[in-house]
């Protein structure tokens, strides 16, 4: 089956960042086969999409998401990450969930993203207490069914909770230490076997739409042996590797106290900082950290709304870009962003860039941020040769936006208005791998109303579980607060990001 999109204004996002007026795109099966004016209709069955008055561009990439938190939008009060995680990933474990709830919440996030014109996601899926084949399959099946392009990692720490933090073991009462030791954990060998099964079962499925990636969550949450073994796995299969580093000031203190160096330098000295690493957050970094990242050719994932919402700080965007480091943009999770909206994350990235750089002439401009979202997102997934560009040979992951919408009335500058005016409300069609999956606000691949009804029913049990988690968190909070206060009084030297108002 072929699809011919006619008379669209096109932003190609190619190396020349070309803009085409009143041009056509021909798609066969999953790929773009021709781009230009007046393309002739090919023989055989063809769907013609008239796109006059619309903008055609590559779909957006959400470069960082945790789908297991998709049901937690608006559920938690804002708090520093270390307090917040008492609710998100309870340190005393959580009641195991069935596969269906994993399926439902993954589909919910995918529905939101596809309606917004986000065609690709990098899902760093965590499991509490431990991953199971049922729950992993449920997440992958959700993306398969809804028609989204997804790269998914198993984000599973395996150290005892208090080993991940500075000072916590000496602050906690003995009974809490005993309880944390008893929480289920998996060995390096068990986790690597799960990864082998995961890759063999899912990598490249759904005509290549579904791919696997790797994740250790963060370097302080696993031992060096597992970090190195997972790095080797990522190299052997050429998979992206998610790793949260220096998200908070406390993590800067942890590096000093536990390793005698920053967490970037710790990973680098292990030989694990490489071009497949997606360094998530990268806020509390210094010049030597940025230099090490630049030499490694890693990619930094900027999550600006998440960083601000829980007070983690401001990533030094311009310093990182000046070092030649590629940046992609993510929403993180619904519990800290309260949406999966990359349009808003991109706008926030541009605005925060004005705070992290005093030279106003070098503030991030719209074309730069848009290319971070689309081309940077594709690069972070190791898919630069497949998505993010409208050109022959690329996957047909495309979106149509109505140029008669409020965001573009009047139309002064298409890129500035995409970044600063657009919210996703103008998206009229979303196509992934040559399949139209959303048209005029309607998801075409699944029964959205049925999914919503099932989620409302499932939330009755989830809310009971959340109440128990709140009780555990309340009991532990005084000790975590004491840890935070002690960390805040610890000197960390000169960093380029962080909280500039302190």
């Amino acid at each position: 089956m072929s699809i011919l999109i006619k008379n669209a204004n096109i932003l190609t996002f190619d190396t020349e960042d070309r803009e085409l007026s009143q041009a056509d795109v021909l798609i066969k099966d999953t790929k773009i086969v021709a781009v230009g004016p007046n393309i002739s209709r090919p023989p055989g069955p063809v769907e013609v999409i008239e796109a006059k008055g619309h903008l055609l561009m590559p779909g957006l990439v959400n470069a960082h998401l945790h789908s297991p938190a998709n049901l937690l939008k608006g559920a938690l009060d804002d708090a520093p990450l270390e307090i917040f995680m008492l609710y998100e990933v309870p340190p005393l474990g959580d009641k195991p969930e069935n596969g269906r709830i994993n399926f439902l919440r993954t589909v919910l996030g995918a529905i939101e993203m596809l309606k917004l014109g986000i065609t690709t996601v990098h899902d760093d899926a965590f499991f509490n207490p431990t991953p199971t084949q049922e729950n992993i399959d449920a997440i992958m099946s959700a993306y398969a069914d809804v028609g989204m392009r997804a790269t998914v990692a198993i984000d599973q720490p395996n150290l005892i909770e208090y080993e991940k933090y500075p000072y916590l073991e000496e602050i906690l009462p003995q009974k809490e230490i005993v309880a944390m030791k008893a929480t289920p954990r998996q060995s390096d060998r068990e986790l690597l076997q799960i990864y082998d099964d995961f890759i063999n079962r899912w990598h490249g499925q759904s005509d290549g739409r579904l791919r696997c990636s790797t994740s250790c969550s963060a370097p302080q949450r696993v031992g060096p042996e597992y970090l190195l073994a997972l790095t080797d796995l990522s190299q052997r299969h050429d998979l992206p590797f998610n790793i949260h580093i220096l998200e908070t000031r406390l993590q800067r203190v942890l590096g000093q106290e536990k390793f005698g160096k920053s967490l970037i330098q710790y990973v680098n000295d292990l030989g694990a900082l490489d071009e497949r690493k997606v360094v998530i957050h990268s806020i509390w970094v210094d010049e030597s950290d940025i230099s090490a990242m630049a030499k490694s050719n890693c990619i930094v994932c900027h999550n600006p709304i998440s960083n601000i919402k829980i007070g983690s700080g401001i990533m030094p965007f311009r310093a990182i870009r000046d070092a030649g480091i590629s940046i992609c943009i993510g929403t993180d999770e619904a519990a800290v962003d309260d949406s999966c909206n990359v349009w808003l994350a991109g706008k926030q990235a541009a605005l925060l860039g004005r705070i992290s750089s005093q030279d106003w002439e070098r503030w991030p401009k719209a074309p730069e941020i848009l290319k971070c979202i689309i081309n940077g997102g594709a690069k972070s997934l190791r898919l630069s040769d497949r998505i993010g560009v409208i050109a022959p040979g690329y996957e047909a992951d495309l979106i149509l936006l109505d140029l008669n919408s409020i965001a573009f009335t009047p139309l002064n500058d298409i890129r500035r208005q995409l970044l600063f005016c657009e919210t996703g409300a103008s998206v009229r069609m979303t196509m992934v791998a040559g399949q139209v999956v959303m048209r005029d606000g309607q998801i075409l691949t699944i029964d959205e109303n049925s999914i919503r009804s099932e989620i409302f029913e499932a939330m009755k049990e989830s809310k009971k579980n959340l109440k128990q988690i709140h009780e555990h968190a309340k009991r532990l909070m005084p000790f975590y607060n004491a840890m935070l206060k002690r960390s805040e009084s610890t000197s960390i030297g000169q960093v380029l990001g962080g909280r500039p108002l302190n």
Side-chain angles (χ1 to χ4, degrees):
M1 174 82 180
S2 296
I3 297 175
L4 180 59
I5 302 175
K6 299 285 294 180
N7 301 314
N9 288 357
I10 300 175
L11 289 181
T12 62
F13 282 82
D14 60 10
T15 54
E16 299 173 6
D17 203 17
R18 292 180 303 149
E19 182 174 353
L20 308 177
S21 178
Q22 298 289 297
D24 306 342
V25 173
L26 179 61
I27 298 148
K28 182 171 177 56
D29 299 325
T30 70
K31 295 184 181 297
I32 298 167
V33 295
V35 179
N38 304 314
I39 295 175
S40 299
R41 178 174 177 149
V46 180
E47 178 184 358
V48 177
I49 298 175
E50 175 54 56
K52 188 174 182 180
H54 289 72
L55 173 69
L56 184 71
M57 61 182 284
L60 274 59
V61 178
N62 188 348
H64 185 56
L65 176 82
H66 297 288
S67 67
N70 281 350
L71 299 183
L72 291 177
K73 60 181 71 171
L76 303 176
D77 284 335
D78 300 336
L81 175 72
E82 292 77 17
I83 300 297
F84 186 87
M85 289 181 72
L86 290 173
Y87 302 91
E88 179 206 36
V89 280
L92 300 181
D94 197 358
K95 186 174 73 174
E97 295 172 313
N98 62 46
R100 189 61 183 173
I101 194 69
N102 281 269
F103 178 91
L104 291 170
R105 63 194 181 193
T106 304
V107 165
L108 179 65
I111 288 171
E112 179 179 359
M113 287 185 280
L114 291 174
K115 287 188 174 187
L116 293 169
I118 301 159
T119 53
T120 301
V121 65
H122 197 172
D123 186 353
D124 193 32
F126 58 79
F127 302 85
N128 202 358
T130 54
T132 66
Q133 187 70 62
E134 178 190 15
N135 288 336
I136 294 168
D137 286 351
I139 290 172
M140 302 305 288
S141 296
Y143 288 124
D145 290 358
V146 80
M148 192 166 193
R149 189 177 302 280
T151 297
V152 181
I154 299 169
D155 173 342
Q156 196 63 30
N158 67 346
L159 294 185
I160 301 170
E161 171 75 0
Y162 55 75
E163 294 178 320
K164 308 170 191 173
Y165 294 106
Y167 316 131
L168 186 58
E169 184 176 5
E170 58 188 274
I171 292 172
L172 285 169
Q174 187 60 31
K175 67 175 184 178
E176 301 296 358
I177 289 176
V178 171
M180 287 180 180
K181 283 183 177 178
T183 302
R185 295 186 311 280
Q186 289 166 311
S187 67
D188 296 356
R189 181 183 58 80
E190 289 171 322
L191 286 172
L192 290 168
Q193 184 59 58
I194 288 171
Y195 257 110
D196 282 341
D197 295 342
F198 175 47
I199 292 167
N200 290 333
R201 187 175 179 86
W202 285 106
H203 191 54
Q205 292 297 308
S206 296
D207 294 324
R209 264 197 305 110
L210 304 182
R211 297 174 64 85
C212 299
S213 61
T214 52
S215 175
C216 69
S217 184
Q220 73 275 15
R221 297 171 189 160
V222 298
E225 297 83 5
Y226 182 58
L227 174 54
L228 288 170
L230 208 55
T231 296
D232 178 67
L233 182 72
S234 118
Q235 291 171 348
R236 282 189 282 118
H237 294 279
D238 194 23
L239 308 178
F241 191 131
N242 290 295
I243 186 165
H244 300 70
I245 308 184
L246 294 175
E247 181 175 358
T248 67
R249 189 184 191 281
L250 181 140
Q251 292 174 10
R252 186 88 200 178
V253 173
L254 170 70
Q256 294 177 180
E257 295 292 312
K258 188 169 183 177
F259 305 112
K261 61 188 77 173
S262 84
L263 291 171
I264 288 287
Q265 298 300 335
Y266 166 68
V267 175
N268 190 47
D269 289 349
L270 284 175
L273 193 63
D274 59 29
E275 72 275 10
R276 292 171 185 81
K277 291 294 185 297
V278 182
V279 178
I280 303 159
H281 299 295
S282 186
I283 297 170
W284 294 85
V285 292
D286 62 20
E287 289 182 357
S288 62
D289 294 328
I290 291 178
S291 176
M293 289 192 290
K295 290 176 182 176
S296 75
N297 291 316
C298 74
I299 295 172
V300 167
C301 185
H302 190 14
N303 300 270
I305 295 177
S306 162
N307 295 343
I308 293 299
K309 191 168 188 290
I310 58 175
S312 296
I314 299 172
M315 189 192 85
F317 179 93
R318 182 53 64 208
I320 289 172
R321 288 281 287 179
D322 281 353
I325 300 169
S326 295
I327 293 176
C328 56
I329 294 177
T331 61
D332 209 336
E333 58 185 65
V336 291
D337 189 306
D338 300 298
S339 80
C340 302
N341 195 327
V342 182
W343 297 102
L344 301 184
K347 180 176 181 177
Q348 184 76 292
L351 298 179
L352 288 178
R354 283 116 173 91
I355 297 175
S356 63
S357 175
Q358 295 181 351
D359 183 353
W360 72 268
E361 291 182 307
R362 301 179 70 247
W363 286 347
K365 301 296 193 294
E368 182 178 25
I369 295 293
L370 290 170
K371 288 185 79 66
C372 285
I373 294 172
I374 294 173
N375 303 121
K379 184 176 180 181
S380 72
L381 294 167
R382 305 190 68 75
L383 292 175
S384 291
D385 60 340
R386 294 183 59 186
I387 65 171
V389 176
I390 298 182
Y394 281 81
E395 293 286 329
D397 292 7
L398 307 171
I399 58 175
L400 271 179
L401 295 93
D402 185 357
L403 293 177
N404 290 315
S405 67
I406 290 293
F408 303 105
T409 304
L411 181 55
N412 294 305
D413 184 283
I414 188 65
R415 291 171 181 83
R416 281 201 288 269
Q417 285 171 251
L418 277 171
L419 185 65
F420 294 112
C421 306
E422 182 54 55
T423 63
S426 304
V427 178
R428 297 292 178 263
M429 185 200 75
T430 302
M431 173 187 291
V432 181
Q435 178 186 14
V436 177
V437 294
M438 190 284 295
R439 181 176 272 136
D440 296 327
Q442 300 298 311
I443 299 293
L444 306 181
T445 49
I446 58 170
D447 184 344
E448 182 181 345
N449 290 332
S450 175
I451 292 292
R452 288 175 183 270
S453 296
E454 197 173 349
I455 287 172
F456 288 136
E457 189 63 31
M459 281 303 295
K460 294 177 183 178
E461 184 64 30
S462 292
K463 286 181 178 179
K464 294 178 186 177
N465 194 34
L466 192 59
K467 182 179 179 182
Q468 185 179 25
I469 290 170
H470 274 265
E471 292 171 357
H472 289 165
K474 185 177 180 181
R475 189 177 80 239
L476 291 171
M477 194 176 296
F479 313 118
Y480 281 70
N481 268 329
M483 173 184 66
L484 280 168
K485 288 179 180 178
R486 184 169 171 183
S487 296
E488 285 290 340
S489 66
T490 303
S491 176
I492 59 170
Q494 187 66 42
V495 295
L496 298 177
R499 297 192 293 268
L501 298 181
N502 273 9

